[in-house]
Amino acid sequence: MMEEEELEFVEELEAVLQLTPDVQLAIEQVFPSQDPLDRADFNAVEYINTLFPTEQSLANIDEVVNKIRLKIRRLDDNIRTVVRGQTNVGQDGRQALEEAQKAIQQLFGKIKDIKDKAEKSEQMVKEITRDIKQLDHAKRHLTTSITTLNHLHMLAGGVDSLEAMTRRRQYGEVANLLQGVMNVLEHFHKYMGIPQIRQLSERVKAAQTELGQQILADFEEAFPSQGTKRPGGPSNVLRDACQVANILDPRIKQEIIKKFIKQHLSEYLVLFQENQDVAWLDKIDRRYAWIKRQLVDYEEKYGRMFPREWYMAERIAVEFCHITRTELAKIMRTRAKEIEVKLLLFAIQRTTNFEGFLAKRFSGCTLTDGTLKKLESPPASTNPFLEDEPAAEMEELAMEKGDLEQPKKPKAPDTPFHGIVSKCFEPHLYVYIESQDKNLGELIDRFVADFKAQGPPKPNTDEGGAVLPSCADLFVYYKKCMVQCSQLSTGEPMIALTTIFQKYLREYAWKILSGNLPKTTSSSGGLTISSLLKEKEGSEAAKFTLEELCLICSILSTAEYCLATTQQLEEKLKEKVDVSLTERINLTGEMDTFSTVISSSIQLLVQDLDAACDPALTAMSKMQWQNVEHVGDQSPYVTSVILHIKQNVPIIRDNLASTRKYFTQFCIKFANSFIPKFITHLFKCKPISMVGAEQLLLDTHSLKMVLLDLPSIGSQVVRKAPASYTKIVVKGMTRAEMILKVVMAPHEPLVVFVDNYIKLLTDCNTETFQKILDMKGLKRSEQSSMLELFRQRLPAPPSGPEGSSSLSLLAPTPEQESSRIRKLEKLIKKRL
């Protein structure tokens, strides 16, 4: 029973001593300790095992027990001391609490006394300031009353004075007085319910109405509609009247301006009536001279009469422009058949000059509803080709150079007077467009005639192929037309002119460039009877002369110049035309036409050199390679091929010095044409002995070296060939070398030969394998067993996309297609 009670006591004690983690952490921070007995997760078993890890350590158990008992006694003493020290703590705490409560009560009483005193003070201040507030309100009302009475006195006196001055036409005093009366009347808007105030307001309105009618009558008297002016007109009175009109209703001012301008321009309508000789376009200068004289006359006589902010001189000029545009449009519709290009351009030139004169003299604020903005000047450019618009020579030079990298010229903002008169000429610009169409047609015909008369350009081996001078003349004329038309209009006429440009760019490409390319004797795209007969007779393809080669290079260089300049022309047209029409300007088709001329020229050069090498390749295929007994220098056919290359390539390179990239294209296309043809003729060399194969391998290596050196052959300056070209030559000629190495290899054992073939050529085509067996001179019985083994040794095609690509290898090769064509040729020859 005692043991059970002790266990229950221990469990209760542990339950009581179970502290929360926060409390435990706080205790550890206040009383840090490294003693295991102080840990919250103390485990008695682990602690005992730590003290006695082995059985031998139990020998000193009495010593450990004594230490623990000593520690327990010390803890008991400490606990006893603390408990005794806390005996009087509760009583002290209660006493301190009572003292704090008493202090709070005293403080609350003092705060209440202060609050009562503050309320009494506030009441006392209110009583003191009540009289002061009353006095302030009285003073404010009295001041307002006195001010209102003064304003009323001023208004009544001002109205009386205004009516008297109006009757005496003292406009100078009226202008100042009326503005003051209007300002004073604004203070009485809230008093309009008072009859006397309303009556004064109505008198002011009546005075304003009377002033307006009186001023209009004075101007009508000074400037009658019949055009006769009273001698010694009242300019001073009218000048003051204009100041009054600035204060009155704006309609009075507009009426004065309208009547004055109408009277001032009445003589113009009479002098330049539609039925007068001076009204036609050839005397358009007289119109502008007349208005200039009128503006000078206005400044001398009436410049000081009207306020500066009325801009009367500008308004007269603007109204003149509107009338002139209407009258010119009317007379041009009536006499449209009499309009000629020179006459139209003369009138437009004089009109645009006059508009420029107006832009320099006037601000144009009357055209922009008074919101005049300073025209922003475009940022300065360091490009000498981007000068002012009239400097057409600079722009032509830039066009001739074909500088596509020059910065675009910012489009200068139009002046307010731009097109104010010249807009009337736009419906008749079709005359100008038709004239340019005719002129360009005659220009192209002259180019054709000059080319036939002068013949092809002379060979040029020093400075590169000469560009035909006609193309520079064409684009210079284009530039002049573009600048001239952009000064006339930037709308639909520019689109029509662009269409004309496109038409004659195509004609130039067809008639001058493509039309003068040398013609080949037979079409390269198909088989003809004449070509078969010539082949049967053993004739060689006609080769281009030196002059013809230079002509092809010159046409190629000209087409490149036209391509680059056409691109620049498109950019310039888009700069000149309205922004809304830029998408309709597209010269891509014309640039493609020049690109086609370039491709055709390169193809002709390739075909010429290719045809020159054909007899040598034919001689190679007809040699008896099984009878070759020893390996010597390169064969005669190789020497012939090299000779043709050394004859043609330097001429082409020197004449294409200015278009280096197209010379590179020529080299690449020739390599792509010559190497497959060489391999095709290589397969025709059968049978081949071991020595013959070695000789062919030597010849192939010689041709490979010549082809690698093709871009710089015969040149004093040795340049490294382009990587793209070198890659094509190495790949193609290496295949030819591998074919010969397979031919040289012994065909026994068969498995080794087939595996060697697959490894060297990586060609899964049985047709190619068959040709190599023919070159080795094997019998058909031997070939059949080797073909069967070849099919067995072929690697299995992978699945997926790679499998489809490997299946494509089974498609007919160019060699197969050429063999079929040769069979067809032989059949046709037999029938012939």
Side-chain angles (χ1 to χ4, degrees):
M1 292 294 293
M2 291 295 292
E3 292 179 355
E4 292 178 359
E5 290 178 358
E6 289 180 0
L7 289 174
E8 291 177 359
F9 176 74
V10 170
E11 292 176 356
E12 292 177 359
L13 184 62
E14 289 179 352
V16 171
L17 294 178
Q18 191 70 28
L19 304 177
T20 62
D22 295 338
V23 175
Q24 188 66 37
L25 180 61
I27 293 174
E28 291 178 357
Q29 292 177 352
V30 176
F31 303 104
S33 174
Q34 300 296 330
D35 193 345
L37 296 173
D38 294 334
R39 293 174 59 87
D41 56 348
F42 174 73
N43 191 324
V45 176
E46 292 181 358
Y47 182 68
I48 293 173
N49 289 335
T50 304
L51 294 176
F52 306 104
T54 60
E55 294 182 0
Q56 290 78 8
S57 61
L58 294 175
N60 55 353
I61 189 172
D62 295 334
E63 183 180 354
V64 174
V65 171
N66 291 334
K67 289 181 179 180
I68 293 175
R69 286 176 179 173
L70 178 60
K71 193 170 185 179
I72 292 172
R73 281 197 296 274
R74 290 177 180 173
L75 288 174
D76 289 339
D77 293 340
N78 292 337
I79 293 171
R80 191 179 300 110
T81 303
V82 172
V83 170
R84 289 174 180 175
Q86 295 296 324
T87 303
N88 299 325
V89 170
Q91 185 177 356
D92 296 339
R94 283 192 295 274
Q95 184 178 357
L97 180 61
E98 292 174 358
E99 293 176 355
Q101 289 176 347
K102 291 179 181 180
I104 292 171
Q105 290 176 356
Q106 294 175 0
L107 180 62
F108 182 75
K110 292 180 180 180
I111 292 173
K112 186 176 181 182
D113 294 340
I114 294 171
K115 183 178 180 183
D116 293 340
K117 292 179 181 180
E119 290 176 353
K120 293 179 181 178
S121 300
E122 184 179 0
Q123 186 66 27
M124 188 181 298
V125 169
K126 287 182 179 179
E127 293 175 356
I128 294 172
T129 58
R130 184 181 298 115
D131 297 336
I132 298 175
K133 289 182 179 179
Q134 291 177 353
L135 291 174
D136 286 343
H137 288 306
K139 179 183 178 182
R140 188 179 305 111
H141 293 322
L142 182 59
T143 303
T144 303
S145 300
I146 294 172
T147 304
T148 303
L149 289 174
N150 287 334
H151 286 166
L152 181 60
H153 177 71
M154 293 170 58
L155 181 61
V159 172
D160 293 337
S161 301
L162 182 63
E163 291 174 344
M165 291 178 182
T166 301
R167 288 191 294 269
R168 294 193 297 268
R169 283 182 167 79
Q170 295 175 347
Y171 296 129
E173 291 80 2
V174 168
N176 296 326
L177 180 59
L178 180 60
Q179 186 63 51
V181 169
M182 296 297 296
N183 293 336
V184 172
L185 190 59
E186 290 179 0
H187 294 283
F188 291 93
H189 281 317
K190 55 185 176 181
Y191 303 117
M192 286 299 171
I194 301 173
Q196 292 81 359
I197 302 298
R198 186 168 58 252
Q199 183 181 1
L200 287 174
S201 176
E202 291 174 355
R203 288 176 62 187
V204 172
K205 291 181 180 178
Q208 288 178 319
T209 304
E210 184 181 355
L211 274 171
Q213 294 175 354
Q214 188 171 299
I215 290 172
L216 289 176
D218 291 343
F219 269 94
E220 182 65 27
E221 182 181 358
F223 306 104
S225 302
Q226 289 77 13
T228 59
K229 296 191 284 285
R230 188 173 63 187
S235 60
N236 291 332
V237 174
L238 294 180
R239 182 179 67 238
D240 296 336
C242 291
Q243 298 295 335
V244 176
N246 264 339
I247 305 171
L248 296 176
D249 191 334
R251 287 177 294 183
I252 303 298
K253 170 185 171 182
Q254 296 298 331
E255 187 69 18
I256 294 172
I257 293 173
K258 181 179 179 182
K259 287 186 176 181
F260 181 80
I261 294 177
K262 182 178 180 181
Q263 189 275 338
H264 213 70
L265 296 178
S266 59
E267 181 185 355
Y268 174 69
L269 293 173
V270 175
L271 292 176
F272 294 91
Q273 288 183 1
E274 187 177 350
N275 56 359
Q276 299 294 326
D277 292 338
V278 293
W280 188 228
L281 299 181
D282 58 345
K283 297 180 177 60
I284 198 170
D285 278 342
R286 297 189 181 184
R287 293 176 180 265
Y288 304 134
W290 183 89
I291 189 60
K292 290 178 182 179
R293 290 193 303 271
Q294 292 298 314
L295 291 175
V296 173
D297 181 68
Y298 165 81
E299 292 294 343
E300 293 176 353
K301 294 181 179 180
Y302 310 107
R304 297 181 180 179
M305 187 175 73
F306 294 99
R308 183 180 298 273
E309 61 271 16
W310 285 22
Y311 300 102
M312 286 300 296
E314 180 177 326
R315 292 181 186 276
I316 294 171
V318 169
E319 184 62 22
F320 166 82
C321 291
H322 293 326
I323 295 173
T324 303
R325 184 179 66 214
T326 304
E327 293 298 320
L328 287 177
K330 188 189 303 182
I331 194 171
M332 283 192 292
R333 283 196 302 269
T334 306
R335 304 171 63 177
K337 296 181 179 179
E338 301 178 31
I339 300 176
E340 298 178 353
V341 177
K342 292 183 179 180
L343 180 62
L344 181 65
L345 293 180
F346 168 78
I348 293 175
Q349 184 64 39
R350 294 296 186 269
T351 303
T352 52
N353 291 342
F354 175 69
E355 291 173 349
F357 162 77
L358 295 180
K360 291 179 180 179
R361 180 166 180 178
F362 302 116
S363 62
C365 60
T366 60
L367 295 171
T368 56
D369 298 327
T371 56
L372 178 63
K373 295 182 180 179
K374 185 177 180 181
L375 298 177
E376 298 179 0
S377 58
S381 173
T382 57
N383 194 321
F385 303 137
L386 298 179
E387 297 298 332
D388 294 336
E389 190 67 31
E393 293 81 4
M394 291 295 185
E395 295 190 357
E396 291 168 9
L397 180 60
M399 286 285 283
E400 290 177 6
K401 291 187 176 182
D403 186 7
L404 300 180
E405 301 300 326
Q406 61 177 345
K408 291 185 179 180
K409 177 181 178 181
K411 196 169 183 178
D414 290 334
T415 65
F417 293 95
H418 177 71
I420 190 171
V421 179
S422 58
K423 200 74 175 176
C424 66
F425 297 109
E426 189 163 319
H428 304 276
L429 285 179
Y430 68 90
V431 178
Y432 172 78
I433 301 298
E434 291 174 355
S435 172
Q436 297 306 323
D437 189 2
K438 180 181 178 182
N439 293 341
L440 283 171
E442 294 175 353
L443 188 65
I444 294 295
D445 293 339
R446 181 166 63 82
F447 289 161
V448 174
D450 291 346
F451 190 91
K452 292 180 178 179
Q454 297 174 3
K458 297 180 180 180
N460 185 359
T461 58
D462 297 328
E463 300 178 357
V467 176
L468 298 179
S470 58
C471 68
D473 296 340
L474 177 67
F475 282 103
V476 167
Y477 189 81
Y478 273 8
K479 191 64 178 179
K480 290 180 180 178
C481 294
M482 180 180 64
V483 173
Q484 194 175 45
C485 187
S486 64
Q487 292 174 350
L488 306 180
S489 172
T490 57
E492 288 295 334
M494 283 292 288
I495 302 299
L497 184 67
T498 302
T499 304
I500 299 298
F501 285 174
Q502 291 174 302
K503 172 184 175 182
Y504 288 102
L505 283 174
R506 292 191 296 268
E507 286 203 11
Y508 185 84
W510 295 333
K511 294 182 178 180
I512 308 298
L513 301 181
S514 295
N516 288 306
L517 283 174
K519 302 298 186 293
T520 55
T521 54
S522 62
S523 173
S524 59
L527 184 66
T528 62
I529 301 299
S530 60
S531 64
L532 290 177
L533 292 174
K534 289 182 178 180
E535 184 180 349
K536 184 176 181 181
E537 296 169 0
S539 61
E540 295 184 0
K543 188 180 178 183
F544 290 142
T545 62
L546 176 61
E547 289 76 12
E548 290 175 330
L549 287 177
C550 294
L551 173 61
I552 296 173
C553 294
S554 180
I555 290 175
L556 192 154
S557 301
T558 305
E560 186 208 16
Y561 170 85
C562 292
L563 175 63
T565 315
T566 301
Q567 182 179 356
Q568 187 182 5
L569 176 65
E570 180 182 9
E571 295 174 359
K572 288 291 182 182
L573 286 170
K574 289 183 177 179
E575 291 178 15
K576 303 292 183 184
V577 79
D578 291 338
V579 178
S580 59
L581 301 176
T582 53
E583 295 183 356
R584 295 175 59 183
I585 294 180
N586 186 0
L587 303 183
T588 305
E590 288 65 38
M591 289 187 275
D592 292 342
T593 301
F594 289 117
S595 298
T596 303
V597 174
I598 293 173
S599 300
S600 301
S601 302
I602 294 175
Q603 190 62 34
L604 279 177
L605 296 174
V606 171
Q607 288 178 0
D608 179 63
L609 183 55
D610 210 13
C613 297
D614 279 346
L617 296 180
T618 303
M620 175 190 77
S621 61
K622 292 182 179 181
M623 287 182 63
Q624 301 296 323
W625 293 101
Q626 74 275 18
N627 297 329
V628 177
E629 298 179 353
H630 61 275
V631 179
D633 294 334
Q634 62 188 25
S635 301
Y637 74 90
V638 176
T639 305
S640 176
V641 170
I642 295 174
L643 178 62
H644 288 303
I645 290 176
K646 288 184 176 180
Q647 286 177 349
N648 282 30
V649 173
I651 297 173
I652 297 172
R653 181 184 59 243
D654 293 340
N655 281 275
L656 295 181
S658 59
T659 57
R660 190 73 185 176
K661 63 179 180 179
Y662 294 116
F663 174 69
T664 303
Q665 288 187 20
F666 159 76
C667 295
I668 291 175
K669 287 188 176 182
F670 174 72
N672 282 327
S673 174
F674 175 80
I675 294 176
K677 186 178 292 187
F678 173 75
I679 293 176
T680 301
H681 283 79
L682 195 63
F683 282 130
K684 295 180 181 179
C685 300
K686 54 186 180 182
I688 304 175
S689 64
M690 179 65 68
V691 178
E694 292 178 357
Q695 181 64 48
L696 274 173
L697 187 61
L698 175 64
D699 295 341
T700 302
H701 181 73
S702 299
L703 287 175
K704 179 180 179 181
M705 291 297 102
V706 171
L707 290 176
L708 288 175
D709 191 42
L710 182 70
S712 59
I713 194 169
S715 175
Q716 297 179 354
V717 180
V718 179
R719 292 184 180 179
K720 186 178 180 181
S724 56
Y725 170 77
T726 303
K727 182 178 179 181
I728 292 172
V729 172
V730 170
K731 182 179 179 181
M733 297 305 291
T734 301
R735 174 176 172 80
E737 291 175 343
M738 292 300 104
I739 291 172
L740 292 172
K741 289 182 179 179
V742 171
V743 173
M744 292 170 59
H747 61 276
E748 291 182 354
L750 301 181
V751 176
V752 175
F753 177 77
V754 172
D755 290 344
N756 191 36
Y757 169 83
I758 296 174
K759 179 181 179 181
L760 291 177
L761 291 180
T762 62
D763 191 346
C764 300
N765 194 338
T766 56
E767 196 74 30
T768 306
F769 187 70
Q770 176 78 51
K771 292 177 180 178
I772 290 180
L773 296 181
D774 291 339
M775 292 173 70
K776 292 181 68 67
L778 298 179
K779 298 179 181 179
R780 289 296 177 183
S781 58
E782 295 176 328
Q783 291 184 13
S784 59
S785 60
M786 295 184 73
L787 285 171
E788 185 64 29
L789 179 62
F790 173 73
R791 294 189 184 95
Q792 295 176 2
R793 302 290 293 181
L794 283 177
S799 59
E802 296 181 358
S804 62
S805 62
S806 64
L807 289 175
S808 65
L809 295 173
L810 300 178
T813 62
E815 292 83 358
Q816 290 176 305
E817 293 294 339
S818 61
S819 64
R820 294 175 183 175
I821 292 174
R822 286 195 300 274
K823 292 178 182 178
L824 180 61
E825 292 175 358
K826 292 179 181 178
L827 179 61
I828 294 175
K829 289 177 184 178
K830 291 179 180 178
R831 296 290 178 89
L832 292 173

